[in-house]
Amino acid sequence: MICGAAFLGLANSAAAQADDKDDAVAEVVVTGTRIPTPNLTSVSPVTAIGAAEIKAAGITRVEDIINTLPQAFASQGSNVSNGSNGTATVNLRGLGASRTLVLINGRRMGAGNPTSINNPVADLNFIPSSLVERVDVLTGGASAVYGADAVAGVVNFIMTQNFEGVRVDANYSIYQHHNDSFVQDALRLKAAAAGANAPQFAIPKSNVRDGEASEVTLTFGVNAADGKGNITAFASFIQQNAVLQGARDYSACTLNSGADFTSLAACGGSGTATPARVGNFTVQGNTFRVRNATTDVYNFGPSNYYIRPDERYRLGAFAHYEIAPWAEAYAEMMFMDDRSVAQIAPGGIFAGTFSVNCDNAFMTAAQQTQLCGANAGTAALFTGTVAKRNVEGGGRQSEFRHNTYRYVIGLRGDLNDSWNYDSYMEYAATKFDARQTAYFLKSRIDNALIAKRNAAGQIVCGVNQVTVTDAACVPYNIFSEGAVTQAMLDYLQVPASTFGNTAERVVNFSLGGDLSAYGVKSPWARDGVGVAFGAEYRREHIDFDGDFVSRTPGQLNGGGAASTPINASFDVYEVYGEARIPIVQDAPLAKSLSLELGYRYSDYSYDVTTDTYKIAGEYEPIDGLRFRASYQRAVRAPNLVELFGPQIHALDGSTDPCAALPDTAANAALIARCGAVHGYTKAQVLSIEANVANQYYGLLGGNPNLDPEKSDTYSVGFVYQPDFVPGATLTVDYFNIKVNDYISNIGADTILAKCYLQNDDSYCPLIVRDARTRSLYLNSSGPDGHVVDLTQNTGSLKTSGLDFSAAYRTDLDRFGMSNAGGVNVSFVGTYLNELSSAILPGDPFVDCAGYYGSLCNGRPGSTIPNPKWRHKARLTWNTPFEYGDWVKSWSVSLQWRHFSSVKLDALSSDPALNAANPPASDLKLATRDYFDLLTSFTVRDNLNFRAGINNLFDKDPPLVGQTNCIPNASCSGNAYSQVYDVLGRYLFIGLTADF
């Protein structure tokens, strides 16, 4: 890849794709093709991010720099806690992380997580940012070149491999924020009305500094004495401190979707609260009062992590040595040990059906009478809804540990002036361990709620009243405030562990050649045909399991899905080939006209074969103007989890149209529909409770009969380098991607909407309600209520839009400003014209471009806000100021990051999305503009200092209420935390020292 002009040495889209006008360019290999040819540029649009840009961002996490690209949509990352798996992933074009292929030096990067729930995709935490020479981001299908999974595109990390000397990179960062959000009005009102619960709604201090992070990387390299090789090795350490949502005023209260975010009703929470709920009563002191469903909620937001704590060690080395003129041996070795902790709100007894004895020794006589009436003081059981938030035990935590390895050994070289070869073997593996704490065990809740007095007058569990059958059992006193002891928690809280491995083995051999020497060329061209072809074998393996508690459904109360085991693998054998055919060169109005072809055949061990191919061309009529177009057929074979993942109950949907319906004329038709579908009376429908946390169960799992996805990508664009503006480059590219046989679940919210709101009877059998509560979340015994939402080949997904990039660099002398230094300008932007999906074949496409919300989230490829326009632009002034050897190369840089506004999906005119009376608080995520300031300078040629502030003006994120804040869509703390800056200013300093 030829990286041209950019500020601060920053590579960008235009530079990455432009022709270098120096004819003495060395042979290069471009991301997007394996053909080695001098002066070759990419026909497919490629954006390149240089090492200087990564340093300019002051980041310690590679995910952050990728997410600033308009082509990238947020995915798993450090700002995800609820639903986190401890990894960081990349999602190009909003098609999903499993449709983006990640490479290291042009070779596959192994999967980073082996759980049976999440799709196994590459973990960007593995990449040491200080060793990245550049990142090439190719968006659009590339399966013909790289194989399956390159549906949305490829992210190729090119690592530093020929370093000589010793380098120390050190970075320190901290967040700073001034709390002055309008949400404070709601917090004050809620605290005033909450009585003893007022501390739940405390306003954080005005000026906060938190989230400190540090990174140190040591790089050392040495050349062979004979100049034929090099070894570059590195070691790095990262530490990231946690930030709680309670540290920001706009996330110190869990916001309800409603009229606004300033009134008393704005602050909501979960019905599993503290003090305890027993039936229709709430504990107050040591008495019962009638429960108030509006105010008796728990503000679960503040104890969630806004950013997870992380501790990470990485080691590695890159080596190559020429053992003969035709053979260079090379090796890559990388290792990571990463430990991260996710924390969400305290658990406890989540609202469900439990039994309490009417002579419970912890209840007063008055309480027994209120709860049991005539049965008070007897051994009879009250069976009904019980809930208690375990505030005494603290937040529920999930500790993730990833040990990841990657080894490559290979041999490459030139066979003669026309042919070269490359052969390598790769092994990549991840060992994963996770531990969940502060969850209650369901069976122990059942035991602990039956409290009796034994013959000695001691209060014991009912199972131990006469004969001790559970010696560890300690009865749980939820009937008086402040009565919970550590002994009670020690019995109820049971840790759960999961563990697993992923492994990827690759063997590849390829040949590349220039057929000029054989006369294989066009009569109108100077260069001959370039070809590349080869064969590849790949084996993917995953195994995952857990202890009894984690893999048994319903054991961990409030723990979500059971971690059921999986042990599966597949093999794939592939052959591939490419050709680059210059047709016309150096002719009038045809400086260059060429064609590029590619094909790959893949044979999978589960009796599936695929064909992928591409055809592309470029036309350069005059110097500085180049047109390009391509068509690519790509595939994504189902991964091991999609094929063989066990069927499990897990949180899936965010709405229940039949829950909490007011008995009004406006709701009469919906009430009747809900009753007709399930055979309920009107009274039974009206009794269905809504989950104020907007979380409902689904039955999710794999399907061994899946077919591969197929996608078609069209792109057309141009690169323009005008002679009359030296140093300027402009690129514009149109992209259009359509994926058929999309592998996904349909989505619980979509199934419910189809059945109840659109009267489509074919979806109604997929809705299974609890036999007693008729709920999709309040279950009598385990997750009985759920929506069947298994993985399958569904319908189609389409996305289209325009990518823009520009770069310009010049000395200010050109404008008569002598000794004023120079300026560099760059710009990358994307207009999203369409991001639409058809759930099933034949369904109409529903477009979510420019929208967000629970209905768009339930559709494939649309799990986060989808702004119509995003861009980033940077202006850098390379100042002329120097002070001897002490200050050199001083530059100042300002970056502008822009997100256009996003509307609530209910406002769409599409009947599949449009909904009456959408909450006014959620109607729009307003436009956000962030400005980042950087300065850097060099001391004595070997010390580079840098300092910067991202989100210079401390802009708050756009806020959203619970109804449309979707946890699996990276919404956390009332904001989409993987999309917007949610923590305030980011201040950083850094040093690179070379010796």
Side-chain angles (χ1 to χ4, degrees):
M1 177 57 69
I2 301 168
C3 298
F7 52 91
L8 275 173
L10 311 185
N12 54 50
S13 178
Q17 299 164 52
D19 289 313
D20 194 316
K21 300 196 176 179
D22 181 356
D23 291 336
V25 178
E27 185 172 83
V28 293
V29 176
V30 178
T31 296
T33 181
R34 297 180 185 269
I35 302 170
T37 306
N39 302 317
L40 180 62
T41 54
S42 177
V43 175
S44 299
V46 175
T47 299
I49 306 170
E53 184 168 3
I54 295 174
K55 285 183 168 58
I59 60 100
T60 59
R61 300 180 299 268
V62 170
E63 64 179 279
D64 293 339
I65 194 67
I66 297 296
N67 282 340
T68 65
L69 291 174
Q71 302 95 327
F73 287 60
S75 195
Q76 278 282 340
S78 56
N79 290 110
V80 176
S81 199
N82 191 359
S84 171
N85 59 25
T87 66
T89 59
V90 57
N91 171 11
L92 292 180
R93 299 297 187 200
L95 299 181
S98 60
R99 293 164 189 88
T100 299
L101 181 62
V102 180
L103 309 174
I104 299 176
N105 294 329
R107 303 174 189 90
R108 280 179 176 264
M109 181 176 166
N113 209 68
T115 67
S116 58
I117 301 173
N118 304 103
N119 287 331
V121 296
D123 181 7
L124 300 186
N125 290 327
F126 187 62
I127 304 294
S129 60
S130 297
L131 269 290
V132 175
E133 185 174 293
R134 74 174 193 273
V135 187
D136 291 345
V137 180
L138 183 155
T139 55
S143 290
V145 178
Y146 297 111
D149 303 335
V151 171
V154 171
V155 178
N156 188 10
F157 291 92
I158 310 300
M159 312 302 291
T160 299
Q161 299 182 71
N162 287 287
F163 181 77
E164 186 176 16
V166 177
R167 171 176 291 171
V168 177
D169 264 301
N171 295 282
Y172 171 81
S173 62
I174 190 171
Y175 291 97
Q176 183 274 327
H177 177 66
H178 180 63
N179 283 308
D180 58 358
S181 169
F182 52 79
V183 175
Q184 290 190 15
D185 294 339
L187 286 165
R188 293 187 184 93
L189 293 171
K190 192 70 172 182
N197 287 329
Q200 287 188 31
F201 303 94
I203 296 174
K205 64 182 182 179
S206 174
N207 186 28
V208 291
R209 295 180 179 87
D210 51 22
E212 291 179 276
S214 57
E215 177 183 24
V216 178
T217 301
L218 173 65
T219 306
F220 50 95
V222 60
N223 289 331
D226 56 8
K228 294 183 178 182
N230 175 273
I231 297 177
T232 300
F234 69 90
S236 71
F237 171 73
I238 291 178
Q239 181 169 339
Q240 170 70 63
N241 292 345
V243 177
L244 289 170
Q245 290 177 16
R248 301 295 185 270
D249 51 6
Y250 43 76
S251 55
C253 159
T254 305
L255 294 173
N256 286 326
S257 300
D260 55 54
F261 291 147
T262 59
S263 62
L264 175 63
C267 281
S270 168
T272 297
T274 191
R277 170 189 177 180
V278 184
N280 290 321
F281 300 103
T282 294
V283 173
Q284 184 171 342
N286 63 349
T287 63
F288 284 148
R289 61 170 173 80
V290 176
R291 176 176 178 265
N292 184 325
T294 301
T295 59
D296 288 335
V297 295
Y298 178 72
N299 184 19
F300 59 82
S303 53
N304 284 252
Y305 282 150
Y306 234 153
I307 189 169
R308 300 192 317 271
D310 201 329
E311 192 173 85
R312 189 178 315 152
Y313 298 87
R314 290 179 296 217
L315 300 168
F318 306 95
H320 60 91
Y321 185 76
E322 183 184 302
I323 58 179
W326 52 269
E328 181 184 54
Y330 63 93
E332 300 176 7
M333 293 161 282
M334 300 175 70
F335 166 77
M336 177 186 74
D337 180 5
D338 183 44
R339 177 187 175 273
S340 181
V341 178
Q343 178 173 294
I344 57 177
I349 305 176
F350 281 85
T353 302
F354 297 91
S355 295
V356 175
N357 55 307
C358 291
D359 58 350
N360 191 289
F362 288 130
M363 283 197 291
T364 64
Q367 285 177 314
Q368 292 176 359
T369 299
Q370 283 179 285
L371 187 66
C372 298
N375 290 325
T378 73
L381 297 178
F382 161 81
T383 299
T385 300
V386 176
K388 167 70 169 73
R389 183 70 64 165
N390 178 29
V391 295
E392 300 83 2
R396 287 166 288 166
Q397 291 194 338
S398 297
E399 179 182 344
F400 306 107
R401 189 75 175 263
H402 293 87
N403 288 326
T404 303
Y405 311 80
R406 182 177 182 271
Y407 308 104
V408 176
I409 57 172
L411 193 69
R412 62 194 172 202
D414 293 329
L415 297 174
N416 56 36
D417 291 341
S418 298
W419 291 94
N420 62 49
Y421 70 95
D422 188 358
S423 62
Y424 68 88
M425 294 185 292
E426 175 186 335
Y427 175 75
T430 295
K431 181 179 181 293
F432 169 79
D433 295 282
R435 178 180 170 88
Q436 292 180 298
T437 57
Y439 287 85
F440 282 7
L441 195 65
K442 172 68 166 57
S443 59
R444 295 190 177 186
I445 295 173
D446 294 334
N447 288 343
L449 288 177
I450 307 298
K452 301 271 191 175
R453 289 191 182 273
N454 62 11
Q458 300 168 316
I459 300 177
V460 297
C461 296
V463 295
N464 297 332
Q465 184 182 23
V466 178
T467 303
V468 176
T469 59
D470 182 358
C473 187
V474 178
Y476 190 35
N477 186 359
I478 64 171
F479 305 100
S480 297
E481 293 187 67
V484 175
T485 66
Q486 187 61 47
M488 297 175 186
L489 297 180
D490 291 342
Y491 173 68
L492 289 166
Q493 294 181 158
V494 177
S497 299
T498 56
F499 39 85
N501 300 275
T502 65
E504 179 180 78
R505 295 170 174 84
V506 179
V507 179
N508 184 287
F509 177 79
S510 63
L511 283 172
D514 181 356
L515 302 184
S516 299
Y518 307 96
V520 182
K521 63 178 184 177
S522 165
W524 305 286
R526 178 184 66 254
D527 297 326
V529 174
V531 296
F533 52 88
E536 182 171 289
Y537 164 78
R538 178 164 52 94
R539 179 176 178 82
E540 303 278 357
H541 173 80
I542 183 173
D543 63 80
F544 176 77
D545 206 345
D547 58 16
F548 173 80
V549 173
S550 65
R551 68 171 179 258
T552 305
Q555 285 292 312
L556 288 182
N557 192 244
S563 299
T564 47
I566 181 175
N567 191 327
S569 60
F570 69 71
D571 303 271
V572 56
Y573 298 84
E574 300 180 291
V575 292
Y576 57 86
E578 290 183 82
R580 171 91 167 191
I581 308 170
I583 299 173
V584 179
Q585 291 176 312
D586 300 324
L589 295 180
K591 184 176 185 294
S592 176
L593 175 65
S594 62
L595 182 67
E596 192 172 296
L597 306 172
Y599 174 77
R600 178 180 289 252
Y601 173 80
S602 306
D603 187 353
Y604 290 83
S605 57
Y606 47 87
D607 296 327
V608 167
T609 62
T610 63
D611 300 273
T612 59
Y613 40 88
K614 70 172 182 177
I615 179 170
E618 62 178 4
Y619 169 53
E620 187 173 3
I622 57 175
D623 284 333
L625 178 62
R626 182 163 58 94
F627 298 94
R628 58 191 177 191
S630 67
Y631 162 74
Q632 304 204 40
R633 162 60 62 92
V635 299
R636 187 182 76 85
N639 60 46
L640 291 166
V641 170
E642 292 166 334
L643 287 167
F644 308 115
Q647 296 182 4
I648 56 175
H649 290 89
L651 294 175
D652 187 21
S654 62
T655 61
D656 181 356
C658 296
L661 288 173
D663 187 8
T664 63
N667 288 325
L670 181 54
I671 293 170
R673 175 64 177 171
C674 294
V677 168
H678 301 287
Y680 295 160
T681 65
K682 179 179 179 180
Q684 289 174 320
V685 172
L686 295 176
S687 71
I688 299 173
E689 288 192 32
N691 185 351
V692 295
N694 299 301
Q695 296 174 341
Y696 299 89
Y697 283 109
L699 178 66
L700 309 175
N703 178 356
N705 298 314
L706 292 172
D707 292 323
E709 297 175 350
K710 300 179 181 65
S711 76
D712 296 299
T713 299
Y714 300 88
S715 67
V716 60
F718 67 87
V719 180
Y720 185 39
Q721 295 176 286
D723 290 335
F724 57 87
V725 187
T729 303
L730 171 68
T731 72
V732 179
D733 288 284
Y734 167 79
F735 64 89
N736 187 307
I737 306 172
K738 182 179 181 182
V739 181
N740 291 317
D741 298 324
Y742 195 93
I743 298 173
S744 176
N745 51 358
I746 298 174
D749 291 338
T750 297
I751 292 171
L752 293 167
K754 288 271 190 181
C755 174
Y756 298 128
L757 305 180
Q758 299 174 36
N759 298 326
D760 189 335
D761 292 335
S762 64
Y763 287 85
C764 298
L766 300 175
I767 304 169
V768 181
R769 292 189 173 273
D770 183 85
R772 192 190 68 82
T773 66
R774 294 170 289 280
S775 174
L776 296 176
Y777 91 101
L778 274 175
N779 294 308
S780 302
S781 57
D784 298 329
H786 60 263
V787 176
V788 179
D789 193 15
L790 301 178
T791 302
Q792 56 187 292
N793 288 106
T794 60
S796 301
L797 177 66
K798 294 193 298 185
T799 184
S800 66
L802 288 167
D803 289 331
F804 301 86
S805 67
Y808 177 61
R809 67 183 306 170
T810 184
D811 291 330
L812 293 177
D813 290 348
R814 179 180 300 175
F815 302 101
M817 303 170 65
S818 60
N819 298 318
V823 295
N824 304 318
V825 182
S826 78
F827 174 90
V828 179
T830 294
Y831 173 74
L832 181 64
N833 177 64
E834 179 182 14
L835 184 59
S836 62
S837 58
I839 298 296
L840 293 173
D843 281 1
F845 279 88
V846 175
D847 190 4
C848 285
Y851 294 101
Y852 87 105
S854 61
L855 291 175
C856 275
N857 178 66
R859 306 188 70 86
S862 184
T863 58
I864 64 166
N866 304 305
K868 283 272 193 177
W869 176 256
R870 289 175 57 187
H871 75 245
K872 68 172 186 173
R874 187 182 287 272
L875 170 66
T876 299
W877 178 34
N878 298 311
T879 77
F881 306 129
E882 293 186 355
Y883 183 75
D885 286 338
W886 293 101
V887 177
K888 297 180 178 180
S889 303
W890 180 24
S891 65
V892 180
S893 176
L894 181 68
Q895 178 172 259
W896 171 26
R897 293 176 286 129
H898 173 83
F899 298 81
S900 67
S901 63
V902 185
K903 295 180 181 178
L904 185 64
D905 48 19
L907 298 178
S908 170
S909 59
D910 192 312
L913 299 177
N914 185 263
N917 303 315
S921 59
D922 299 353
L923 294 181
K924 184 172 74 170
L925 301 179
T927 298
R928 279 298 180 270
D929 292 286
Y930 299 108
F931 294 90
D932 309 327
L933 183 66
L934 167 76
T935 186
S936 69
F937 61 90
T938 299
V939 174
R940 300 187 67 86
D941 296 325
N942 69 320
L943 302 176
N944 178 260
F945 293 87
R946 54 194 175 273
I949 305 174
N950 296 344
N951 191 5
L952 181 63
F953 299 110
D954 193 19
K955 193 75 170 177
D956 290 356
L959 302 181
V960 58
Q962 287 189 73
T963 300
N964 295 292
C965 185
I966 316 300
N968 68 340
S970 76
C971 192
S972 176
N974 307 318
Y976 282 89
S977 56
Q978 283 290 112
V979 180
Y980 302 101
D981 290 24
V982 296
L983 296 175
R985 293 187 182 93
Y986 177 77
L987 298 86
F988 65 90
I989 57 174
L991 166 67
T992 299
D994 289 322
F995 305 98

